[in-house]
Amino acid sequence: MPTLMALTGTDIRIRTATQEDGDTLVELIALVDLQLRAEDLPGALDPMRHALTDSDDGPLSHRRNHFLIAENSEGVPVGAITCGPAKWMSDPNRSPKIMRRRIIERISTVHGLAVVPAYRNQGIARALLQHAEQTFRDAEYTALTLRHDRSLTTFYGQLGYTSHNRLSLKLPTGELLSLVERGWKHAFKVLAPTASVTTVQGMPTITGALSD
């Protein structure tokens, strides 16, 4: 996949990550409060390192994962976003086996969005997220999800995300898949006209994202 280049108003270039960026991505994503003990953080980020060894000539940078790095004018990494399938998508206790492949092919998750403190409030996080969204649209994904600290509800709301205590997804069978994680809020945004956010059982719900 070719390197993605973009120039924001703050003279920031956005590119796809390579296998050599493993340490850089870990350092940047570690800026996010993942609500983990320090000793547990390396292990939690190991799957990201492993995913970086994959490559693909499709629209995503690393098969089902997509990693972007923002650099300043001197080529110093100042931000990153990491996206890919969420654990719940392949969890037999949460996701019906018959639907797992379709979920992974239609919905992705932002695992980490980080900007170094000196470069915050300059639109870099917004640019990273919007670049990722467009890539997933081009790849025919129908929705993007993430979890965030409650203090970021307004930020994601301004970018078109719906935040709620639960992630709610309506399956084509009519069943409702609902996920809650203590201490986090979930946010989601539909990327295709076939999908929408409707109210089901009193909750904002991703609807139509898995339809044929």
Side-chain angles (χ1 to χ4, degrees):
M1 179 179 174
T3 298
L4 170 66
M5 299 179 64
L7 203 64
T8 72
T10 53
D11 200 25
I12 297 295
R13 186 182 74 134
I14 296 175
R15 64 171 176 83
T16 53
T18 67
Q19 185 173 346
E20 289 71 31
D21 290 313
D23 289 342
T24 297
L25 277 177
V26 167
E27 182 179 347
L28 289 168
I29 298 303
L31 293 171
V32 180
D33 182 6
L34 300 177
Q35 298 185 13
L36 295 171
R37 296 180 303 176
E39 58 267 31
D40 294 333
L41 187 59
L45 296 179
D46 277 346
M48 181 177 67
R49 286 184 181 275
H50 179 73
L52 278 169
T53 64
D54 290 330
S55 61
D56 200 354
D57 57 2
L60 304 184
S61 64
H62 296 81
R63 295 191 181 178
R64 291 292 174 191
N65 295 279
H66 193 55
F67 304 126
L68 299 175
I69 290 177
E71 297 177 333
N72 66 13
S73 58
E74 298 177 348
V76 177
V78 297
I81 188 170
T82 61
C83 312
K87 288 184 178 180
W88 64 264
M89 295 179 180
S90 56
D91 186 340
N93 295 317
R94 292 179 171 174
S95 179
K97 183 177 181 180
I98 194 172
M99 297 301 304
R100 286 176 206 162
R101 180 175 178 180
R102 188 182 298 188
I103 291 173
I104 290 173
E105 291 176 346
R106 303 284 184 87
I107 300 174
S108 194
T109 296
V110 176
H111 293 298
L113 174 59
V115 176
V116 298
Y119 282 82
R120 291 173 183 170
N121 301 312
Q122 298 181 36
I124 298 172
R126 180 187 297 262
L128 283 164
L129 186 56
Q130 290 176 338
H131 274 293
E133 290 171 3
Q134 189 56 53
T135 300
F136 280 104
R137 284 192 192 93
D138 294 341
E140 299 185 343
Y141 280 69
T142 55
L144 193 61
T145 75
L146 55 90
R147 63 179 190 177
H148 64 81
D149 186 89
R150 295 177 183 277
S151 64
L152 294 173
T153 301
T154 298
F155 170 75
Y156 286 111
Q158 292 172 341
L159 295 176
Y161 284 77
T162 299
S163 289
H164 195 266
N165 293 330
R166 288 180 178 270
L167 173 62
S168 181
L169 172 66
K170 189 172 183 180
L171 303 179
T173 58
E175 297 174 274
L176 191 66
L177 189 156
S178 182
L179 175 68
V180 61
E181 293 183 66
R182 182 175 297 178
W184 295 97
K185 291 197 74 171
H186 291 276
F188 42 89
K189 182 176 182 177
V190 297
L191 304 177
T194 55
S196 62
V197 177
T198 61
T199 300
V200 179
Q201 297 181 11
M203 298 180 293
T205 300
I206 304 172
T207 305
L210 306 177
S211 301
D212 293 327

